[in-house]
Amino acid sequence: MKENENVINNENTTKRGNNVSTKAIIGLIFIVVIVIGTIVFVFGKKDNNEIGKGNDLKAYEISNLQEFKGDLPSFKFTITGAFQSSLTDSEIKNMDLKVYEFDANIDTGWNVVKNKYVGIKVKDLLEETKIYESKSHEMTFEGDNRTAITYDLSKVTEKMFIVFLKDNKNIDDKQSVMLLNVGENYSYSLTQLVNIYVAHNIDNDVTIDDTTVGE
């Protein structure tokens, strides 16, 4: 009986030892995978950040900015709120607005990608539509996909564009209009732009003549 008990105990000890070894191996493999994944991510992002290095172009930068002479795709977007306007590809061409083509390195949050875009500067659009002359202080870019982003007018930079083409293709088959903020992370841009809402400033409201109060 004792011999049987010893055999059983030895078998149990062996099983426990095997279980511990298996868990240790699995744990070691898991740690190695995490370390390798981290190394690949860090060095991969570093390499991506150097896309366009030959042109000294890094993240958040623009190069080869020049006037675009080609045809724009068919599109339409609106301006509502303190200003009312409906803009199409033909109207953009007829306005005193320069259409640009340029290369830009965009930070997607995971890596940096380089593409060629065609579009107009947001600042130029605000000046052409006289929005800069108003007392409005912010505007909201609204997407067809129920997304929106609000900018204070003072935060509009030379690196903010409304683009219609990306690598010679429509931005989107459904709505080829996009807000592109090269100077920020990609999350500060907006695809399928359909409307720009210009907020009414309280100073734009009609004032009440106090002499009529109580009459």
Side-chain angles (χ1 to χ4, degrees):
M1 292 292 294
K2 289 184 177 180
E3 290 181 359
N4 291 335
E5 290 178 359
N6 289 333
V7 170
I8 293 173
N9 289 335
N10 288 336
E11 289 179 351
N12 290 337
T13 301
T14 302
K15 289 180 179 179
R16 284 196 295 270
N18 289 337
N19 290 336
V20 171
S21 299
T22 301
K23 291 180 179 179
I25 292 172
I26 292 174
L28 182 61
I29 292 174
F30 182 73
I31 293 173
V32 170
V33 169
I34 292 178
V35 171
I36 293 174
T38 302
I39 292 174
V40 170
F41 174 78
V42 172
F43 282 93
K45 187 165 185 177
K46 181 179 179 181
D47 291 339
N48 286 324
N49 279 334
E50 298 189 1
I51 293 176
K53 186 176 180 181
N55 297 323
D56 295 325
L57 187 64
K58 298 180 181 178
Y60 313 113
E61 292 188 358
I62 296 172
S63 68
N64 302 323
L65 182 70
Q66 56 188 317
E67 193 168 354
F68 178 71
K69 299 297 185 180
D71 296 325
L72 295 175
S74 177
F75 64 79
K76 177 182 178 180
F77 66 99
T78 57
I79 300 175
T80 59
F83 287 77
Q84 302 287 327
S85 182
S86 178
L87 300 174
T88 64
D89 48 299
S90 58
E91 289 169 342
I92 289 290
K93 275 290 192 180
N94 292 330
M95 295 170 71
D96 189 20
L97 282 172
K98 282 187 178 181
V99 180
Y100 296 97
E101 59 179 333
F102 58 94
D103 296 325
N105 266 12
I106 309 301
D107 185 356
T108 67
W110 291 98
N111 55 21
V112 176
V113 293
K114 179 181 178 181
N115 299 100
K116 180 179 290 292
Y117 296 92
V118 171
I120 59 176
K121 290 184 178 182
V122 173
K123 290 186 72 173
D124 291 350
L125 178 63
L126 299 184
E127 290 174 358
E128 177 69 13
T129 54
K130 310 300 182 183
I131 292 177
Y132 266 148
E133 298 178 7
S134 74
K135 294 182 180 179
S136 300
H137 56 83
E138 67 178 26
M139 57 186 175
T140 300
F141 295 87
E142 302 172 339
D144 188 53
N145 47 8
R146 296 187 179 182
T147 56
I149 183 169
T150 299
Y151 278 97
D152 190 284
L153 288 181
S154 64
K155 302 298 182 182
V156 175
T157 71
E158 293 287 341
K159 292 185 177 183
M160 289 180 65
F161 290 82
I162 294 177
V163 295
F164 316 109
L165 292 171
K166 176 181 177 181
D167 296 332
N168 299 318
K169 297 180 181 179
N170 290 14
I171 291 294
D172 187 276
D173 291 336
K174 184 178 180 180
Q175 173 66 359
S176 193
V177 185
M178 174 184 179
L179 168 69
L180 180 71
N181 191 345
V182 180
E184 295 284 355
N185 185 285
Y186 196 73
S187 59
Y188 286 85
S189 300
L190 183 75
T191 59
Q192 297 182 17
L193 175 68
V194 294
N195 183 60
I196 301 174
Y197 175 76
V198 183
H200 288 274
N201 189 286
I202 191 170
D203 293 335
N204 290 343
D205 295 339
V206 177
T207 58
I208 299 176
D209 186 352
D210 291 336
T211 60
T212 62
V213 176
E215 290 184 1

